[in-house]
Structure formats: structure tokens, C-alpha cells
Amino acid sequence: MSVTQFNSEQLNVTQGISDSTPSWNERMHGEDKLRRHDHRSPFQRDRARILHSAAFRRLQAKTQVLGVGMNDFYRTRLTHSLEVSQIGNGISAQLKRKHPDLAPLLKSNSLIEALCLAHDIGHPPFGHGGEVALNYMMRHHGGFEGNGQTFRILARLEPYTTHWGMNLTRRTLLGVLKYPATFSSLLIKTPHPDITNFRQLQPSQWQSVKGVYDDDQSILDWVLATLNDTDKQLLQTSAPSSTIPHYPHLKTQNKSLDCSVMELADDIAYAVHDLEDAIVMGIVSLSQWQQYVVEPLAKLTDPWLIYEINRIGDKLFSNEHHLRKDAIGTLVNGFVTAISIKQNTAFTDLLLRYNAVLEAEFAQTLEVLKQFVYRFVIKKPEVQMLEFKGQQIVMELFEAFACDPLRLLPQNTQVRWQTAQTENNSGMRVIADYISGMTDGFASKLHQQLFSSKNMGLVDISLDR
């Protein structure tokens, strides 16, 4: 049922939002900050905390798709996140125009911006290669996954507070939960081949569980505490993945409205803007575009898509920069304006009942673009070589730290490791936290200082941060 079919007897949206607002605005740790003339909303404060965090700044030196430092044109994790934020704002504006009765649910642009700015904050150095490496090294200690790490940084690690991370509102934390269930509830144990050397590790055999770490169960419980039992159970419902080929684990099926907006913004930015980078770098060609995008979409029936898909390639691959930018803007606009809201009446809470979705043929088109980028950019041997190299760096760093943490870890990280040893008899999560927070350059430099015979002078003291 679409929202345009609602009537006043079915629900009073404004009243429902009013009833739920106080609990969604709560923070794990109460705050008594009395800042002078500070009239910001809770979500404006959340956005500011994310924007000014060290974890966010480090995104400027983390790989998005192409390696950091290969060229000064294309996107890093930080510029990607800024673009996702802009697209998220555009989606929110469109939804408020299309569904004015639901506008109170989307009244805060700062909330959507906060989610979009934060969505990649947990991704480790060297892109997918770093994630696979950490997941392998944490295979007996709860695994590793970028989205789970994002949740952990926001709610526990970033030193805005002593123990509660950035101490964000409950609604903001709900919004970053793309997979709102724990590692152990989603893990399907499968046999893995024996590996006697890190160089034998194949990413396809060590796919991460997409969820929240069991270590952070208490935070997840707090975020979901205001939901009734039915909503909570339905939100955490999982099933085998229908969208990721050969994915071995269970995957959650539902998310909040805010999260659905953020996820669509991320997908659009990935498919369109990373495509732009690939075109400018000469990685993909017009003939490939015709064969792997235009031809698979030949049976579309939407008039706008038929017209644009069949003509926009000439602009995308033009030597005229302004024509390419116009084509990229056209694609982004097409996707953003094709998004509407659907409802799932099984949910009681309005933030869960509604989700943003793409019209079917636009969703099909976006998936074709994502697969195009994946096939010709991400799977490009030169890109995979960089991932492989980063994968080795991360595993060797982890092995070194795990071998003698009180000798090699920075002093402040040693304290966390010792505390973890006392509390749960394992400091491996602390090592994963430390390495995942590194930029590509920082990890490479540290690896060189640990393992290279060159530059045998003192280790750079800036590594103790």
C-alpha cells in the first residue's frame, strides 16, 4: 500500500511522531552542557559531533574505490561521504514534497546529513582488502565489518565522552544501523580452507557478517529499548541474502526510514560518482557502456529512462568536461526524483513502518550501474593488486600487535588492551579498533617502520596517538 492511500482513520502521523520524539532524542549518557545561547536541535548537535570528529577527518586519507594517492582528482571516503550527504538531503526534500503527510518524520535535514556523513566512518584502510584482512584476523573473536565498526565508533570509541563515544541520540544511532542484529545471530559457520600464509587468503572465502558486534550488544539493546517486542523482533528478522551472490550468512531484512534514505543516497553516489571517476581515468569506455549498461536495459518501459539511457553515453564519455558533469547531474537527479515511500503495516513505530524505495525500473537501472562499476573498476586487476597489498599490510600489523601488544601498541591503546583483558579475557577487539582507525598512509608508514630494514632510526612518535 502506498502512502497516498492513507486516510485519517488509519493513522495520525503528526500525533504518532509527537508521542515518540522524546525517547528518540535521548542519549545514552545524560548531558548537562549549558552552552551559551546554544539553540541547536539534538540532530544539529549530532551532525556537528560527527563532522568535527577525528574519525571523520581520517576519511580524507582512506580509499574509496581507487587507491588514495594514485591521482588527486577522484574520490576518497571523505569526499564520497560529503556527496552522499548532499544526495540524502535531495532525497529528503523530494519525499517531503511527494508525501506531505509524512513531512514531520523527515523534518530534520541535520539528521539525514549526520547519517550520510557517518555511514563510512568505520571502514578500515585499503577498502575491502582491509575489511577482509581484519575479519580474518578476528575470525575467532567476533569478526570485523565496516558497518558494525561505524556503530562502535559512534557509540563507544570516539573520545567525545569517556565511555559513550559521541553520545549521539537514539534516533541517529538507529539510522546508522543498516543491519540491526548481532554477529552471533547472523553467523552461519562454514568450513574454510586451511591457510598457512597470509598471501593465500581469498576474500570470497571470508565474507564478513553484516551486523553489530556481540561486544556492542548492550548499546544495540539501548537503541532498540523504546520499541515494543513485536517491532524489535521484526526489525531484527533475518534470512539468506537475495541480493549478494554466494553470501554465506544471514542478513537482516528491515531498517528505519532514516537509514533507508541514507542507504539509497550511498548507492546513488557509489554507482554514479564512482562511474565518473572511472570515465575520467579512462578505465571504462563508451563501447563497454553500450554493451553492459544500454543493452541490459533495452527492455525498460519508463519514458525518461528509455530516452536518457540511450543518449546519455555520448555526454558521459565526451571530452567536454561540462557535458560529462551535466550527464552525471542528470543521472543523480533521475534517481533522486524516482524515490518514494512505502509502508509495512506490521510495524507500529512510524520510523520503522515507512521506508524510502526506488521505483522498480530505476532500481533495476541503479543495480546495472553498480555492477558496471564493480566489474570494470573494483575488479580491475590494478585495483585488486592495491587491495591485496593493503590486505597483507593489515594482517601483518595485526599479527605483530597481537604477538606482543604491551611492547608494540601505543601507550593509550595498551591501557585499553589491558582493560579488555581484565573484562573479557580478550584484547583482540582493541587491536582491530586501532588498525581500522588508521588511514592508508598511516598503516603503510607503520608497516614500513616495523618490517623494513631501511630507515632504522627512531620510530615517528606521532604514531602514538
Side-chain angles (χ1 to χ4, degrees):
M1 181 186 297
S2 70
V3 293
T4 55
Q5 295 172 292
F6 295 164
N7 58 52
S8 59
E9 294 180 355
Q10 289 175 299
L11 65 111
N12 184 324
V13 174
T14 304
Q15 181 62 41
I17 297 167
S18 176
D19 290 343
S20 66
T21 295
S23 61
W24 287 118
N25 289 359
E26 289 175 351
R27 303 179 188 275
M28 281 190 292
H29 180 61
E31 293 188 353
D32 56 0
K33 293 181 172 65
L34 299 176
R35 300 272 171 80
R36 183 174 182 268
H37 302 316
D38 190 352
H39 302 295
R40 293 176 299 170
S41 73
F43 304 124
Q44 287 174 323
R45 295 185 183 194
D46 285 356
R47 179 185 181 277
R49 292 177 190 186
I50 292 165
L51 189 62
H52 294 292
S53 68
F56 180 74
R57 289 194 299 277
R58 291 188 188 115
L59 295 179
Q60 67 186 302
K62 288 191 177 185
T63 293
Q64 166 61 12
V65 172
L66 302 171
V68 172
M70 289 174 64
N71 188 287
D72 62 0
F73 167 81
Y74 48 67
R75 288 148 174 97
T76 64
R77 290 275 181 191
L78 187 140
T79 57
H80 165 75
S81 297
L82 293 173
E83 290 174 334
V84 173
S85 178
Q86 176 63 29
I87 294 172
N89 249 333
I91 294 172
S92 181
Q94 284 291 324
L95 293 179
K96 284 184 278 192
R97 184 189 63 82
K98 288 183 178 180
H99 309 288
D101 289 345
L102 295 178
L105 276 176
L106 295 160
K107 64 181 179 181
S108 176
N109 288 340
S110 294
L111 171 63
I112 297 301
E113 289 175 0
L115 301 179
C116 293
L117 292 172
H119 82 282
D120 266 355
I121 216 166
H123 281 262
F126 308 114
H128 184 59
E131 185 176 49
V132 168
L134 284 175
N135 186 49
Y136 174 74
M137 300 306 289
M138 291 293 291
R139 63 194 181 281
H140 301 309
H141 306 283
F144 181 91
E145 196 268 333
N147 295 287
Q149 192 68 18
T150 292
F151 184 73
R152 181 171 172 82
I153 289 172
L154 297 177
R156 189 186 291 276
L157 299 181
E158 184 67 23
Y160 185 87
T161 64
T162 53
H163 303 292
W164 302 277
M166 298 186 198
N167 198 30
L168 303 178
T169 61
R170 180 182 269 113
R171 181 167 174 178
T172 298
L173 290 177
L174 178 72
V176 298
L177 283 170
K178 292 173 66 173
Y179 311 103
T182 58
F183 173 93
S184 59
S185 68
L186 301 171
L187 173 69
I188 299 295
K189 293 184 178 180
T190 55
H192 296 288
D194 291 334
I195 294 175
T196 58
N197 187 289
F198 289 156
R199 287 172 174 78
Q200 297 174 339
L201 183 69
Q202 296 183 21
S204 62
Q205 297 171 346
W206 292 93
Q207 295 193 58
S208 301
V209 174
K210 296 181 179 297
V212 174
Y213 306 139
D214 287 11
D215 293 341
D216 300 322
Q217 170 83 61
S218 62
I219 306 173
L220 177 63
D221 290 344
W222 178 83
V223 173
L224 305 183
T226 62
L227 300 176
N228 63 43
D229 290 341
T230 301
D231 277 2
K232 190 183 302 184
Q233 182 177 359
L234 186 57
L235 178 64
Q236 298 187 296
T237 298
S238 60
S241 175
S242 60
T243 57
I244 306 177
H246 311 298
Y247 183 70
H249 307 294
L250 300 177
K251 190 178 176 185
T252 55
Q253 304 296 295
N254 297 296
K255 56 182 66 69
S256 71
L257 170 63
D258 304 323
C259 186
S260 70
V261 172
M262 175 267 283
E263 190 168 34
L264 282 171
D266 184 25
D267 284 350
I268 293 169
Y270 165 76
V272 180
H273 290 146
D274 290 349
L275 169 66
E276 180 185 15
D277 284 357
I279 292 172
V280 172
M281 295 295 293
I283 295 174
V284 294
S285 66
L286 180 57
S287 63
Q288 290 170 328
W289 169 269
Q290 288 293 134
Q291 182 177 356
Y292 293 98
V293 175
V294 177
E295 290 181 15
L297 296 175
K299 295 182 180 180
L300 293 174
T301 59
D302 182 90
W304 187 91
L305 283 172
I306 293 171
Y307 178 75
E308 291 295 345
I309 293 300
N310 282 285
R311 67 183 288 273
I312 206 168
D314 290 336
K315 286 187 175 182
L316 282 173
F317 292 88
S318 170
N319 292 325
E320 299 291 334
H321 181 71
H322 70 280
L323 293 178
R324 185 175 62 251
K325 294 304 295 185
D326 178 62
I328 292 296
T330 297
L331 285 174
V332 172
N333 172 263
F335 289 121
V336 168
T337 54
I339 295 172
S340 58
I341 290 178
K342 72 171 184 180
Q343 77 155 328
N344 182 345
T345 56
F347 283 108
T348 300
D349 194 287
L350 301 181
L351 290 180
L352 306 182
R353 176 177 290 193
Y354 301 109
N355 265 202
V357 294
L358 263 172
E359 296 172 17
E361 289 198 338
F362 282 84
Q364 177 188 350
T365 302
L366 185 62
E367 184 60 29
V368 168
L369 290 182
K370 287 168 63 178
Q371 290 304 315
F372 184 71
V373 171
Y374 180 79
R375 176 171 187 161
F376 291 106
V377 182
I378 294 177
K379 298 302 290 183
K380 187 176 175 65
E382 291 84 348
V383 173
Q384 287 300 305
M385 286 179 187
L386 287 173
E387 276 199 8
F388 178 82
K389 183 177 181 180
Q391 188 175 302
Q392 308 309 308
I393 289 173
V394 167
M395 288 189 288
E396 289 178 1
L397 285 176
F398 196 106
E399 184 181 51
F401 292 136
C403 175
D404 202 345
L406 294 182
R407 182 186 184 191
L408 298 177
L409 287 173
Q411 290 180 349
N412 59 339
T413 309
Q414 288 182 28
V415 173
R416 288 188 56 227
W417 184 87
Q418 290 175 308
T419 301
Q421 287 287 101
T422 302
E423 293 178 350
N424 56 28
N425 199 34
S426 174
M428 296 303 180
R429 180 63 63 192
V430 173
I431 296 175
D433 290 340
Y434 177 54
I435 295 176
S436 69
M438 296 177 182
T439 63
D440 295 15
F442 184 96
S444 297
K445 182 178 181 181
L446 184 55
H447 184 271
Q448 183 180 38
Q449 291 180 326
L450 278 172
F451 297 107
S452 175
S453 60
K454 298 179 181 179
N455 302 320
M456 288 295 290
L458 291 175
V459 173
D460 187 345
I461 61 172
S462 67
L463 296 180
D464 186 6
R465 51 179 183 157

